[in-house]
Amino acid sequence: MVIILQDGSEVPVFKQIRNQIVMGISDGRLQPGEKLPTVRALAEEIGINSMTVNKAYQLLKQEGYIMTDRRNGVRVRESFRMTPELPLESKEQLKQLVSEARVRGVSQEEFMALVEEYFSAGQRE
Amino acid sequence: MSWVNWILVICMYPFVLIMYFCLKNEGHDPKKRVYYGVSLSKEQAEDQIVTEIGNAYKKQMKRLLWISFLTSVPVLILPSFSIAFTYWCFWFLFVCFVFFWPFGIANKKLREVKLEKGWTTGEAQPRYTEIKEAAGIRKVKWYHFLGPVVISIACVVWAVLQPRDGREAMLIILAATFGGMTLMFAALAFWMDKEKTAIVSSDSNVNVNYARARKNMWKNFWVAFAWFNTLYTVGILFYQVQESEVTGMFWLLLGLYILFTVILLVWVIQKSKALEERYADKMDLKVEEGDDAHWLWGMLYCNPKDKHTMVNKRVGLGTTINLATPVGKGVAVFLILTLLSMPVLGIWLILDDFTPIQLKVEENCLVAKHVTEKYRVPFEDVREAQLLTKLPNIGRNYGTSMDNVKKGNYRLRDESISCEVLLNPENGLFIRLETEDEIYLFSGFDDTETRQVYEAMIK
């Protein structure tokens, strides 16, 4: 899977890594149980500090997307035991997006069509 | 006109052609959509002004190719080797850098055009990283270089253990220099193997396989180079311990080394082209636009946010260094100093060639001077002095050996002992002095000076 990081972004790099991995899991580029690179290897490959990658992995682990153990390293969870509800932060982001779309004159139908497109494209196989 | 000059020039012609064709091809890569180090879309690349910049670039490159060939001619016709060699050093530097000039101009123009036409957002663009097998694709193993490294170390040990007969210093210098190069090649191979996976496709398998093939090619290149260098070291040491000296052997060996390097470069270029062609249909990602700002003149990579020192070149063959990292800066300074040291060496040769030897008697001492060398032999130390009408059979341990000057530590082959030498071998008279612990061979600027000094000394 190719991850894309924006150097000049306001979103911190560890958050960008976390978001990219969540997107990868969502659209099937990362399969359940798939092995992820170690903290050191990923930091070396991106060319950033390993603390940043470690922070991203800690967050993903805390949120229940990945699991780590000594024998198998870092892996995507086989199943996600999460409540089918968006966290508060994501809800806020969605609210912001809807507001922006409304200000720009995007109709509700157009907005919903986009949501549907992204949702179905991200259906896991 | 010496045949050594011919070797110097002929060995460089393939290098000129390699520089020309590599940079000509690297000018634009429609597959990666990079034109003279600037990323453009297909539509932008078809713009009239881009075509004009491209045509001007090709024209300039062709002109410089002819200039490179023509400017090599003086090396063949200059009468003095030291002047010809110095000229060759400057010409070498010229060839190394001249073809980058049109590239830099085209890059500057195209960036201006891109800005004027509003083809760029000016925003920082994303960085792509392949996380499949991140930092896991390694083709170089320690045992690939075990043979060359062990043999090179053995050569150094052998040179150190040689009897102290005056030749050991040169043997150690040669073994350590060439042996060190083998170690450097091994280090470079490991370094290049750690390079970031190039993102050429949205398919991770394509990226990983492409990276594997590329790294394997470079591994083979460095292993071949390390083995050749090792065998060359053994050969040059073997030649050094021979009692007979073959005229021009040094230059012949140097020519052989350059020739092999060129052959290896041609091989890696061919392999690289074949690899690019094999993956051409699978490459569906263009080079990131945002990288434009990190590529100075489209050629030199400088990105402080990237910790990698060795990075893939955007287009064309091989890798380049990130000038923003401390190691990258160090390597760049080292390379520049190495290249600039070549003309300095040439100027030193001219000094050696054209400075006359001074031989005189001064305060009951025989004084011989030439550039930085100075011998002072007190008469009271001299056990025996002879005026020779023929130069004895001598071979260099270390020092200078030119047509009109020999200086340094030499070996008297007939007697199998070392001596200090400062003389003009084209002369007919030489002074041989023997002291308690040294033998000296001197000559003056000409035979008259040598005879006068000898007679003054005898008195």
Side-chain angles (χ1 to χ4, degrees):
Chain A
M1 187 189 114
V2 176
I3 62 167
I4 304 163
L5 300 177
Q6 197 88 34
D7 278 335
S9 167
E10 283 177 8
V11 183
V13 176
F14 82 91
K15 201 72 185 273
Q16 289 188 50
I17 296 172
R18 176 257 174 210
N19 292 348
Q20 292 281 316
I21 290 176
V22 172
M23 277 163 71
I25 294 169
S26 158
D27 62 22
R29 281 178 298 155
L30 285 174
Q31 295 293 318
E34 189 171 327
K35 204 174 171 191
L36 290 172
T38 61
V39 170
R40 208 177 137 192
L42 188 54
E44 195 182 317
E45 190 69 26
I46 303 173
I48 55 171
N49 199 306
S50 53
M51 289 298 286
T52 311
V53 178
N54 191 36
K55 213 167 164 185
Y57 273 12
Q58 286 300 326
L59 188 61
L60 285 162
K61 193 179 163 189
Q62 208 179 320
E63 290 173 336
Y65 291 107
I66 62 168
M67 50 193 265
T68 55
D69 68 68
R70 277 186 190 169
R71 197 187 294 170
N72 297 314
V74 188
R75 281 178 190 278
V76 176
R77 272 193 180 277
E78 292 283 354
S79 58
F80 304 100
R81 287 184 199 133
M82 297 171 188
T83 49
E85 194 187 9
L86 283 174
L88 193 66
E89 197 188 334
S90 304
K91 276 181 184 168
E92 281 299 319
Q93 281 172 352
L94 185 59
K95 197 174 167 185
Q96 203 181 325
L97 273 176
V98 170
S99 309
E100 202 180 319
R102 205 184 291 143
V103 172
R104 283 174 180 266
V106 179
S107 70
Q108 191 175 345
E109 287 74 33
E110 281 172 321
F111 190 85
M112 292 310 289
L114 263 179
V115 170
E116 204 152 304
E117 188 192 321
Y118 292 154
F119 213 95
S120 50
Q123 289 289 341
R124 294 181 57 201
E125 288 159 17
Chain B
M1 195 189 308
S2 158
W3 61 274
V4 172
N5 298 32
W6 279 93
I7 289 181
L8 283 176
V9 170
I10 289 169
C11 286
M12 279 301 291
Y13 281 161
F15 178 67
V16 174
L17 290 170
I18 286 173
M19 291 296 285
Y20 171 75
F21 282 112
C22 280
L23 277 161
K24 193 172 159 261
N25 292 338
E26 284 177 19
H28 63 283
D29 189 338
K31 280 172 237 150
K32 291 182 182 173
R33 296 187 202 154
V34 178
Y35 298 80
Y36 313 104
V38 179
S39 54
L40 296 177
S41 70
K42 202 180 165 201
E43 295 72 35
Q44 290 163 355
E46 282 166 1
D47 194 285
Q48 180 64 23
I49 196 150
V50 178
T51 316
E52 279 169 19
I53 291 172
N55 289 342
Y57 172 76
K58 281 177 196 160
K59 218 170 162 182
Q60 256 179 325
M61 287 291 283
K62 234 177 234 169
R63 200 180 298 151
L64 287 172
L65 179 70
W66 283 110
I67 290 173
S68 299
F69 281 135
L70 290 173
T71 47
S72 72
V73 175
V75 181
L76 302 174
I77 54 176
L78 280 166
S80 154
F81 173 73
S82 61
I83 295 177
F85 181 74
T86 310
Y87 181 88
W88 180 84
C89 290
F90 280 107
W91 180 68
F92 177 80
L93 284 183
F94 173 74
V95 170
C96 280
F97 294 109
V98 75
F99 293 110
F100 292 100
W101 180 250
F103 196 96
I105 292 174
N107 175 267
K108 190 172 170 271
K109 278 186 188 164
L110 212 50
R111 280 170 83 158
E112 283 167 5
V113 167
K114 203 174 166 182
L115 210 65
E116 274 168 26
K117 297 220 172 203
W119 289 345
T120 177
T121 55
E123 289 169 13
Q125 296 297 309
R127 254 198 296 166
Y128 295 79
T129 306
E130 176 59 66
I131 66 165
K132 187 172 185 176
E133 299 210 23
I137 305 167
R138 298 285 183 264
K139 300 306 275 185
V140 180
K141 305 280 183 244
W142 63 270
Y143 51 80
H144 290 139
F145 290 92
L146 185 66
V149 168
V150 167
I151 296 171
S152 297
I153 292 171
C155 284
V156 177
V157 172
W158 173 83
V160 171
L161 295 176
Q162 284 307 293
R164 298 284 180 265
D165 60 358
R167 287 186 296 184
E168 77 285 350
M170 196 53 159
L171 290 174
I172 293 169
I173 290 169
L174 282 173
T177 308
F178 283 97
M181 278 168 71
T182 302
L183 292 177
M184 192 179 77
F185 293 158
L188 276 169
F190 278 103
W191 201 15
M192 279 181 82
D193 210 41
K194 283 174 80 179
E195 211 181 63
K196 186 180 174 177
T197 305
I199 314 292
V200 292
S201 166
S202 49
D203 183 345
S204 289
N205 289 328
V206 173
N207 291 332
V208 167
N209 289 337
Y210 178 75
R212 278 200 187 113
R214 223 177 120 90
K215 288 187 176 185
N216 198 45
M217 178 186 79
W218 280 109
K219 178 209 80 188
N220 291 338
F221 173 84
W222 288 117
V223 169
F225 215 165
W227 269 112
F228 173 75
N229 190 67
T230 307
L231 295 176
Y232 191 85
T233 314
V234 174
I236 211 161
L237 290 179
F238 179 74
Y239 166 68
Q240 201 66 25
V241 292
Q242 299 305 303
E243 285 296 334
S244 58
E245 195 175 358
V246 183
T247 320
M249 190 56 149
F250 171 78
W251 298 104
L252 200 70
L253 287 171
L254 181 70
L256 185 73
Y257 201 99
I258 297 174
L259 196 70
F260 181 80
T261 310
V262 168
I263 290 170
L264 213 53
L265 278 174
V266 170
W267 173 81
V268 87
I269 289 167
Q270 291 297 334
K271 274 273 183 188
S272 186
K273 277 175 97 175
L275 183 69
E276 293 291 323
E277 272 164 30
R278 208 162 69 229
Y279 279 86
D281 299 337
K282 295 167 190 163
M283 291 179 176
D284 60 359
L285 274 184
K286 75 177 184 88
V287 173
E288 305 99 279
E289 189 206 329
D291 250 11
D292 281 359
H294 298 133
W295 289 87
L296 312 173
W297 302 296
M299 281 276 168
L300 307 171
Y301 185 64
C302 184
N303 184 1
K305 288 189 176 167
D306 190 350
K307 279 190 171 182
H308 294 100
T309 297
M310 202 72 117
V311 290
N312 278 320
K313 274 170 85 172
R314 258 181 140 189
V315 284
L317 173 79
T319 54
T320 188
I321 48 170
N322 182 3
L323 295 173
T325 66
V327 180
K329 281 176 192 154
V331 171
V333 169
F334 175 76
L335 284 176
I336 290 168
L337 288 180
T338 309
L339 285 171
L340 291 181
S341 69
M342 286 184 65
V344 175
L345 179 73
I347 291 164
W348 189 260
L349 270 181
I350 292 179
L351 268 178
D352 264 355
D353 201 2
F354 288 95
T355 308
I357 296 171
Q358 284 180 29
L359 191 67
K360 56 185 174 185
V361 174
E362 208 177 76
E363 296 164 2
N364 280 334
C365 289
L366 187 128
V367 178
K369 268 200 246 177
H370 186 253
V371 193
T372 54
E373 273 75 16
K374 187 177 179 183
Y375 292 99
R376 195 179 176 89
V377 188
F379 292 158
E380 59 188 29
D381 292 352
V382 178
R383 277 197 322 206
E384 196 184 336
Q386 280 178 284
L387 185 69
L388 308 175
T389 52
K390 193 180 166 234
L391 183 65
N393 184 8
I394 53 172
R396 178 173 49 166
N397 290 333
Y398 55 88
T400 305
S401 177
M402 293 168 79
D403 286 347
N404 58 353
V405 64
K406 282 186 188 289
K407 59 180 179 179
N409 191 279
Y410 277 67
R411 191 170 176 76
L412 284 161
R413 288 204 179 104
D414 297 336
E415 298 167 57
S416 288
I417 45 171
S418 293
C419 64
E420 291 298 318
V421 161
L422 179 52
L423 53 82
N424 180 354
E426 288 171 343
N427 286 3
L429 290 177
F430 307 93
I431 297 171
R432 177 183 163 134
L433 299 180
E434 272 189 51
T435 63
E436 187 74 32
D437 38 34
E438 197 64 83
I439 297 174
Y440 299 94
L441 279 177
F442 294 130
S443 84
F445 168 68
D446 55 16
D447 289 343
T448 319
E449 190 181 76
T450 312
R451 189 180 290 280
Q452 277 171 357
V453 169
Y454 180 73
E455 282 167 2
M457 204 175 76
I458 296 295
K459 274 179 196 168

